[in-house]
Amino acid sequence: RQELKIFNDDDLNSKYAPYYVEHVRKYLIEKYGEKAVYEDGLTVSVPLSADLALTAKKSLRDGLLAVDKRSGYRGPLQHLKNSEEIETFLKETRSKLIQERLRFQVFRADGSMDAVRAMDVSGLHADKELLVADEFYQGVITGIDLKRKVALLMIGAIPAELSLAGREPGADPNAPRLFSQKLQRGDVVLVSLLKL
């Protein structure tokens, strides 16, 4: 019984300049028609620097994050109602993390695809190795520890903590208690890593 690695193709368009590529695609369809674009084997060259595209993408993201941060916390991305929903969400998140980081899954002898088995094959020893600094992840709040001023959360199978304490000088000493009232078990929140 053999297992095969099935690689996910890197979509360079979405990595470097998805909006630019989409604009070019729409322009080509408008000018030449769908048949020519999808069936006639056109070769299209466009001026694009991968380094500049990634720099522009990062600058836009940083600017949007700065605006978002000034707006303050607006609530969870979604709320999972029960333990079953939380468990399903965490399993799906773990599978997505593995697929995005490893770029392959294992095709098992029974015909199923197994992203989790890919971790064993890749040589990663712990789920936390899937995470990358400066990236954002969806975490699920699993509890609040007011004594330590943290919210407990899970990112896939990775336990983490979200500080409830204000970091700014002169921050409201009641901030952890006030912020904890906005969070509850099952809330899905967007988090980035301060340390691994």
Side-chain angles (χ1 to χ4, degrees):
R1 300 179 75 183
Q2 288 284 45
E3 295 177 331
L4 299 173
K5 285 185 184 180
I6 306 294
F7 287 88
N8 304 330
D9 288 337
D10 280 342
D11 182 359
L12 295 178
N13 295 339
S14 65
K15 181 177 180 181
Y16 292 105
Y19 299 107
Y20 181 60
V21 171
E22 178 62 12
H23 176 74
V24 170
R25 186 190 70 81
K26 285 181 178 178
Y27 171 78
L28 292 170
I29 289 174
E30 186 179 300
K31 184 160 178 114
Y32 300 107
E34 281 192 40
K35 183 181 181 312
V37 172
Y38 292 118
E39 297 175 19
D40 291 349
L42 294 177
T43 299
V44 179
S45 297
V46 293
L48 177 68
S49 162
D51 290 337
L52 290 177
L54 289 175
T55 300
K57 185 177 177 180
K58 183 182 181 326
S59 294
L60 176 62
R61 180 180 138 182
D62 291 349
L64 290 171
L65 288 172
V67 169
D68 187 57
K69 188 174 183 177
R70 286 193 298 269
S71 299
Y73 181 69
R74 293 184 301 276
L77 300 172
Q78 72 182 89
H79 179 74
L80 306 171
K81 297 177 189 85
N82 55 48
S83 296
E84 185 178 312
E85 284 187 15
I86 292 172
E87 186 177 328
T88 300
F89 185 89
L90 292 174
K91 282 181 182 177
E92 289 172 359
T93 300
R94 182 178 189 223
S95 181
K96 286 178 192 171
L97 283 171
I98 293 169
Q99 289 177 50
E100 289 171 8
R101 177 75 155 84
L102 301 182
R103 299 281 189 217
F104 72 89
Q105 296 184 58
V106 172
F107 183 71
R108 300 177 63 151
D110 66 3
S112 64
M113 299 292 277
D114 189 348
V116 176
R117 175 80 177 106
M119 276 204 44
D120 297 333
V121 172
S122 73
L124 291 182
H125 303 292
D127 278 58
K128 71 180 184 178
E129 294 176 58
L130 298 168
L131 303 180
V132 179
D134 294 329
E135 286 295 323
F136 286 86
Y137 301 97
Q138 290 186 3
V140 178
I141 301 294
T142 58
I144 305 290
D145 184 340
L146 277 176
K147 188 174 183 179
R148 293 180 40 234
K149 299 179 182 175
V150 295
L152 307 173
L153 64 114
M154 295 289 292
I155 304 167
I158 306 160
E161 294 180 349
L162 174 64
S163 174
L164 300 176
R167 289 188 177 83
E168 301 80 24
D172 183 351
N174 295 319
R177 185 171 302 283
L178 296 172
F179 191 54
S180 71
Q181 292 170 359
K182 296 179 181 180
L183 296 173
Q184 58 182 314
R185 177 179 159 77
D187 282 352
V188 178
V189 294
L190 203 57
V191 295
S192 70
L193 306 171
L194 294 178
K195 61 183 176 179
L196 294 174

